[in-house]
Amino acid sequence: MAERATPTGQATRPTVKSSDSTSVVKRLQSELMQLMMSSTPGITAFPEEGNLLKWKATIAGPEDTPYHGYTFKLSFEFPSNYPYAAPTVLFVTPMFHPNVDMAGRICLDILKEKWSAVYNVQSILLSLQSLLGEPNNKSPLNGQAAELWDANPKEYKRLVAARYKDVDED
Amino acid sequence: MSSSAPASRRNSAISNKSTSTTTPDKPTPTHLDLRTLRYVSPPDDNLCCPICHSPFLDPIQTRCRHTFCSDCIAEALKNSETCPIDRKPITDEGLSPAPILIANMVNDLVVYCPNAENGCTETVPRHLVEGHVRETCGWVQVECGVGGCKEMVRRNETSMECLHRLVKCEFCLEEVRRMDLDIHYDTCAGISTDCPHCLTDYKRSDWKSHVQSCPEASIPCSSSVYGCPTILPRREMARHESTCSFVHLTPVFRRHESQISELALENRMLRRRLDLLYPRATQPESNTNSEEPQGPSVLDEQTYHILSEQEHLRTDLDRLSESMVALEMKHTMHFINENMRVKEEMVAMRTAINGVRMQMHWLLNMRAQAPFQPMMPMMGMGVMQQQAQVVAQGGTTTQGGETVQRRHSEHQNVKL
Ligand SMILES: [Zn+2]
Ligand SMILES: [Zn+2]
Ligand SMILES: [Zn+2]
Ligand SMILES: [Zn+2]
Ligand SMILES: [Zn+2]
Ligand SMILES: [Zn+2]
Ligand SMILES: [Zn+2]
């Protein structure tokens, strides 16, 4: 079969592209399509203008958590071997949470060693949403938040509100 | 629909693939990249790989019964030797080709020809697309081949005659490629044209210079800039110009012109100087009672300097406020334009969403009704697409429900 293909070999060349970058793009396009077709309540995500490898997202604080009523902005940066490697996800909105540090970095296993190629933007956002209600207080990035979570919910809520700022960066 | 012949081809494709997966980075120019194909109808979620979100390519099943493209799972295993869905450990031995049914279903998905953007309108089942491009697609560049010609030509433009061979233009005897001959005739210097003014025959090469001097061509009087409205054929113009009063007066006009421009220049300079002196002239007038009678001349240097400075500042201020107004206008315009654009986009999106909604309703209706009711023609856009979709899915009417179920289970998986 290969030998037979050689005479007209050049013929198909225009349609062959480097599959590496196109596969990331294709995958992100299909994710975007899916997000737009089936809007999931409480989360949004959209690429930055002119760069499909950087997205902006928001999650709404879930009910029955100290975060209810706030909307949190996040940034996604996808590596060129996405989905085989996890995207870099940061909270852009200042965040008072046991597993988020002052720079917005997030400690979540599925974004690190537990990453799997079948995860996507939507599943990450849903995981983060549930992390807001169920923090992992065993290995906190923010010790104060981890202590107050059980000890003093009222003060916790006050600090969430104090830290929250609706940043409108661009 | 899918006989045994394509099935054997698919098998050979799979075995080819499994050897090539070891070196996926090697560029293979003869191989068509099936990942870039566009599908005629949106493929069923159940036929899409959970890693690349596209219909399976060489589907592979793990021991835990999950299906992936062979390339996708191979890449994922490089990072972690576990199933990407349930994290059960797997190795290469734990992988086997997916059931032939799945392979057939994805191979029968209808795709656009990869040369669609060049103009090919063909749609073919995916497993036939390589053959289409290799053998029948009219939009592929192939060798001309006539008489050993090595030039490339689109397949649907090949003919018995080689269009690359040089032929002599019968008018100018220049050598031109056969395919360029028609274009050459448009500019061939050997072909003659009639001058539209004097109707005599001229070779193309001579025609341009002839038009500049053709005695029958109409030209305006040389004093038309000073107002003479006469337009006459060139041969009669000399007679007109000898009697035209505009022509006689031309030297006078010229002199006046240069004088006026000189005066305008001088006037501008004087005005500038006057502007500087202006405060000097008014200041004493308003203060006549307190000033000495010879007021205007005694204003000391410093005051004069300050006044002129003030004047400078005032003009600066005027200019600045003017440019501010202009800027604001520009911004407002920009804003309005942007707004319009966004509005238009929103309208387009809305119609697109409506289209999708109608498709969904239609599909839901299909499912709600008896499974094999005859297809009804429906209103609205996308009818063709939906029909194609139904054909492609071959009556898997339960797929919608399964998709929803799968979405739910995905969510449960990701919640820690
Ligand atoms: Zn599995
Ligand atoms: Zn895949
Ligand atoms: Zn084609
Ligand atoms: Zn030729
Ligand atoms: Zn010629
Ligand atoms: Zn003429
Ligand atoms: Zn005249």
Side-chain angles (χ1 to χ4, degrees):
Chain A
M1 198 163 116
E3 293 91 313
R4 201 144 57 86
T6 25
T8 55
Q10 286 141 307
T12 58
R13 193 187 292 153
T15 60
V16 178
K17 290 161 194 155
S18 72
S19 62
D20 241 34
S21 61
T22 49
S23 68
V24 180
V25 168
K26 264 203 104 152
R27 154 96 191 222
L28 287 173
Q29 274 170 345
S30 92
E31 284 194 37
L32 183 59
M33 198 66 130
Q34 199 196 338
L35 280 163
M36 280 162 70
M37 289 305 179
S38 63
S39 71
T40 317
I43 65 171
T44 69
F46 206 76
E48 273 178 27
E49 205 174 305
N51 189 354
L52 198 61
L53 293 181
K54 284 187 178 178
W55 288 33
K56 287 178 183 173
T58 65
I59 55 178
E63 267 180 62
D64 305 324
T65 70
Y67 303 96
H68 183 53
Y70 299 108
T71 301
F72 298 93
K73 293 197 171 95
L74 297 116
S75 70
F76 278 68
E77 204 172 330
F78 299 92
S80 62
N81 59 343
Y82 180 76
Y84 302 108
T88 307
V89 186
L90 294 174
F91 270 103
V92 177
T93 310
M95 194 62 184
F96 185 75
H97 186 278
N99 307 112
V100 181
D101 74 5
M102 288 296 155
R105 286 180 290 240
I106 304 162
C107 180
L108 179 61
D109 53 359
I110 66 152
L111 291 176
K112 306 246 157 59
E113 74 280 356
K114 283 266 173 66
W115 172 255
S116 157
V118 298
Y119 290 144
N120 54 41
V121 173
Q122 191 189 30
S123 60
I124 292 170
L125 288 174
L126 290 171
S127 305
L128 287 172
Q129 216 176 21
S130 64
L131 183 72
L132 292 188
E134 301 150 27
N136 173 10
N137 288 324
K138 299 263 164 57
S139 56
L141 288 173
N142 181 339
Q144 187 194 14
E147 265 171 42
L148 290 176
W149 176 262
D150 286 319
N152 192 345
K154 215 170 189 176
E155 175 68 0
Y156 189 98
K157 215 169 166 180
R158 192 186 67 77
L159 287 169
V160 168
R163 182 110 177 85
Y164 182 83
K165 242 184 288 159
D166 189 19
V167 278
D168 204 24
E169 43 74 61
D170 249 304
Chain B
M1 189 159 112
S2 47
S3 62
S4 59
S8 66
R9 179 186 268 184
R10 284 172 212 150
N11 284 339
S12 73
I14 287 174
S15 58
N16 273 359
K17 245 297 148 63
S18 58
T19 55
S20 72
T21 43
T22 51
T23 55
D25 298 330
K26 205 181 86 186
T28 46
T30 57
H31 182 250
L32 177 65
D33 188 355
L34 295 176
R35 287 171 188 282
T36 59
L37 292 176
R38 282 195 308 120
Y39 291 81
V40 171
S41 52
D44 185 342
D45 271 359
N46 289 315
L47 293 179
C48 286
C49 164
I51 295 181
C52 64
H53 293 194
S54 301
F56 294 117
L57 281 177
D58 308 324
I60 293 286
Q61 205 176 48
T62 61
R63 206 174 274 167
C64 49
R65 302 258 187 147
H66 288 119
T67 312
F68 306 94
C69 309
S70 66
D71 283 359
C72 291
I73 187 66
E75 193 63 34
L77 289 183
K78 277 189 205 162
N79 293 306
S80 145
E81 296 210 316
T82 55
C83 170
I85 290 180
D86 55 18
R87 299 189 196 287
K88 292 205 174 118
I90 3 173
T91 51
D92 284 344
E93 299 90 71
L95 301 177
S96 55
I100 200 76
L101 177 69
I102 292 180
N104 286 353
M105 281 173 84
V106 286
N107 282 331
D108 283 339
L109 290 175
V110 182
V111 297
Y112 291 104
C113 170
N115 294 313
E117 54 213 53
N118 300 327
C120 183
T121 54
E122 210 78 11
T123 57
V124 286
R126 194 178 76 184
H127 66 100
L128 297 180
V129 73
E130 276 173 292
H132 164 74
V133 169
R134 195 172 53 236
E135 270 139 38
T136 58
C137 181
W139 301 82
V140 162
Q141 296 280 322
V142 294
E143 265 178 23
C144 167
V146 182
C149 175
K150 293 259 186 259
E151 294 273 352
M152 301 303 281
V153 66
R154 242 175 32 208
R155 184 180 280 133
N156 58 8
E157 285 182 342
T158 48
S159 54
M160 299 312 288
E161 190 190 4
C162 171
L163 296 175
H164 306 95
R165 101 194 119 83
L166 291 176
V167 291
K168 260 208 176 80
C169 166
E170 52 189 309
F171 302 104
C172 66
L173 305 180
E174 208 178 291
E175 290 213 314
V176 196
R177 290 205 296 184
R178 174 71 189 81
M179 60 199 285
D180 297 335
L181 197 58
D182 283 340
I183 305 168
H184 168 78
Y185 281 153
D186 288 342
T187 56
C188 174
I191 298 180
S192 58
T193 336
D194 284 350
C195 168
H197 308 296
C198 62
L199 305 179
T200 20
D201 242 14
Y202 282 95
K203 295 230 160 165
R204 280 254 174 82
S205 48
D206 302 337
W207 185 66
K208 272 219 172 92
S209 60
H210 165 73
V211 169
Q212 303 290 324
S213 60
C214 173
E216 294 296 329
S218 293
I219 53 166
C221 171
S222 65
S223 294
S224 60
V225 279
Y226 298 123
C228 178
T230 317
I231 294 175
L232 285 172
R234 186 174 275 115
R235 66 186 156 75
E236 288 169 27
M237 193 43 85
R239 197 154 45 94
H240 163 76
E241 283 178 357
S242 67
T243 59
C244 177
S245 35
F246 286 96
V247 172
H248 291 308
L249 286 173
T250 297
V252 185
F253 289 139
R254 289 244 168 87
R255 210 165 46 239
H256 284 184
E257 238 176 16
S258 67
Q259 269 173 7
I260 286 172
S261 64
E262 253 169 55
L263 284 173
L265 198 75
E266 200 180 321
N267 188 29
R268 211 177 315 141
M269 272 168 52
L270 284 174
R271 176 164 301 154
R272 209 177 299 150
R273 214 169 291 168
L274 191 73
D275 282 346
L276 273 178
L277 292 171
Y278 185 65
R280 208 182 176 194
T282 53
Q283 197 74 13
E285 250 175 272
S286 52
N287 297 354
T288 18
N289 352 9
S290 58
E291 284 278 335
E292 314 242 328
Q294 68 265 53
S297 55
V298 302
L299 269 178
D300 58 328
E301 284 267 304
Q302 237 176 350
T303 324
Y304 172 65
H305 184 75
I306 288 171
L307 285 174
S308 70
E309 200 69 0
Q310 187 202 357
E311 206 51 31
H312 270 294
L313 287 174
R314 188 174 297 159
T315 50
D316 271 0
L317 194 71
D318 282 353
R319 214 186 49 237
L320 277 176
S321 62
E322 227 168 76
S323 64
M324 252 169 69
V325 170
L327 256 178
E328 203 181 318
M329 288 272 286
K330 223 169 81 186
H331 274 155
T332 317
M333 283 308 293
H334 193 94
F335 184 73
I336 290 172
N337 284 343
E338 190 62 22
N339 224 354
M340 298 256 287
R341 200 177 59 77
V342 169
K343 242 178 233 164
E344 271 165 25
E345 243 167 53
M346 261 172 64
V347 171
M349 291 278 252
R350 203 167 287 153
T351 46
I353 287 172
N354 270 339
V356 171
R357 188 175 295 150
M358 283 180 66
Q359 287 190 12
M360 217 177 74
H361 274 213
W362 187 76
L363 279 175
L364 286 175
N365 277 343
M366 276 282 293
R367 196 149 54 90
Q369 288 161 11
F372 290 109
Q373 214 168 14
M375 253 194 292
M376 310 263 271
M378 66 164 281
M379 325 243 301
M381 16 192 262
V383 182
M384 302 263 289
Q385 210 187 351
Q386 283 153 5
Q387 287 177 355
Q389 195 176 353
V390 171
V391 172
Q393 285 161 0
T396 53
T397 41
T398 54
Q399 49 105 348
E402 285 169 21
T403 316
V404 173
Q405 267 181 8
R406 207 172 75 148
R407 285 239 175 82
H408 279 301
S409 66
E410 250 175 37
H411 293 180
Q412 281 158 7
N413 278 344
V414 299
K415 285 201 178 171
L416 294 166

